[in-house]
Amino acid sequence: MSPENTPHLKPGQNPLLRWILRIHEPLRRDRTLILGEKALRLHELHNQGCRVPDGLLLSAGFFREFIHLAGLNDFLASVSAAELKGETDLRSRVWSVFRDYSWPSNLLSPVEEQLSALMGEESCLWAVRSAVVGEDDEKASFAGQYSTVLNTALKDLWSAVFYCFASFWSERALVYRRQKGCRVQDPMISVIIQTQLNPEYAGVFFANHPSDAREVCLVAAVSGL
């Protein structure tokens, strides 16, 4: 389906709207299976009173619907088939198609309008983060395999979103999935668009030591971002 043949959707009829969630809003139970682990944790932390920056969650359902409306189902099916054959140079293939595609404005507008409402009259930068469904379990941890794009201006938003989306097929992610036996024909990718902070310090909190069996908490931090 070419861009000019993509159906024109009125705001109230746009099926993408039901797949966009706000971090600071209650999470419906039927949405938990289409969000990556990071996205779910953000909701939980906010509900427990932590100061989590607000933003939007583009669920796996959003990208399924988005790809269907853009007429790219066959292209993504060919990418999944290439992964099963053992090809590794797939990220550039996905990134080039999504980067250069002439997207109809009616596909992009629901996200842009909701982000503009969150911003109000203030200018804002965004942290765009990949969140793949089932990326962490008792057998594997995909931490660092998929992309994050920081300090993203609204005009560069979709480039960052598609970059994170394409990172599902990065060489390191493909190799890791093969090593763990995680062959995925139906990629469940969600993307977090979150207000960017400018911190004095930033870091990671581990509830258990990340490299040995000790049951101790560990904080790794740096000054700045």
Side-chain angles (χ1 to χ4, degrees):
M1 183 184 294
S2 61
E4 58 269 20
N5 292 328
T6 302
H8 180 72
L9 304 170
K10 296 180 181 180
Q13 299 174 331
N14 197 321
L16 293 172
L17 291 172
R18 66 189 294 261
W19 301 113
I20 303 172
L21 299 91
R22 184 173 168 182
I23 294 173
H24 284 188
E25 290 181 347
L27 178 63
R28 288 171 45 183
R29 291 185 179 274
D30 62 348
R31 294 292 185 263
T32 59
L33 296 179
I34 56 171
L35 292 173
E37 299 300 317
K38 287 195 291 290
L40 292 174
R41 299 296 85 76
L42 290 175
H43 259 296
E44 290 179 358
L45 288 169
H46 172 68
N47 291 338
Q48 292 176 15
C50 297
R51 297 174 61 189
V52 177
D54 201 3
L56 299 181
L57 307 175
L58 308 184
S59 68
F62 173 91
F63 285 102
R64 277 181 171 175
E65 193 78 54
F66 192 95
I67 290 163
H68 170 71
L69 292 171
L72 291 175
N73 285 36
D74 290 343
F75 168 71
L76 263 296
S78 71
V79 172
S80 295
E83 177 181 353
L84 291 175
K85 291 178 181 178
E87 295 186 34
T88 56
D89 186 22
L90 296 177
R91 177 180 188 152
S92 59
R93 187 186 305 181
V94 176
W95 167 236
S96 63
V97 167
F98 278 74
R99 178 193 60 203
D100 299 333
Y101 196 81
S102 297
W103 298 101
S105 59
N106 58 303
L107 290 185
L108 307 183
S109 58
V111 175
E112 295 172 352
E113 290 169 0
Q114 292 196 39
L115 287 178
S116 296
L118 287 177
M119 290 167 58
E121 298 181 357
E122 300 180 2
S123 60
C124 184
L125 295 176
W126 304 95
V128 183
R129 312 169 60 196
S130 57
V132 176
V133 176
E135 61 183 316
D136 295 318
D137 57 25
E138 66 278 3
K139 297 181 180 180
S141 174
F142 282 79
Q145 302 295 332
Y146 307 117
S147 292
T148 291
V149 183
L150 302 179
N151 292 315
T152 302
L154 191 60
K155 64 181 181 63
D156 301 317
L157 175 71
W158 289 106
S159 177
V161 168
F162 296 142
Y163 188 79
C164 289
F165 178 82
S167 71
F168 185 81
W169 293 277
S170 67
E171 184 174 4
R172 64 189 180 192
L174 291 172
V175 170
Y176 191 74
R177 282 204 293 274
R178 290 193 188 104
Q179 290 176 343
K180 299 298 182 181
C182 304
R183 299 292 181 92
V184 181
Q185 291 182 294
D186 184 17
M188 294 286 284
I189 312 166
S190 60
V191 170
I192 303 163
I193 305 172
Q194 194 172 18
T195 307
Q196 176 71 58
L197 300 181
N198 184 24
E200 294 183 22
Y201 295 92
V204 180
F205 170 77
F206 297 93
N208 288 287
H209 199 284
S211 59
D212 59 43
R214 286 181 294 158
E215 294 186 359
V216 296
C217 298
L218 179 67
V219 176
V222 296
S223 59
L225 187 57

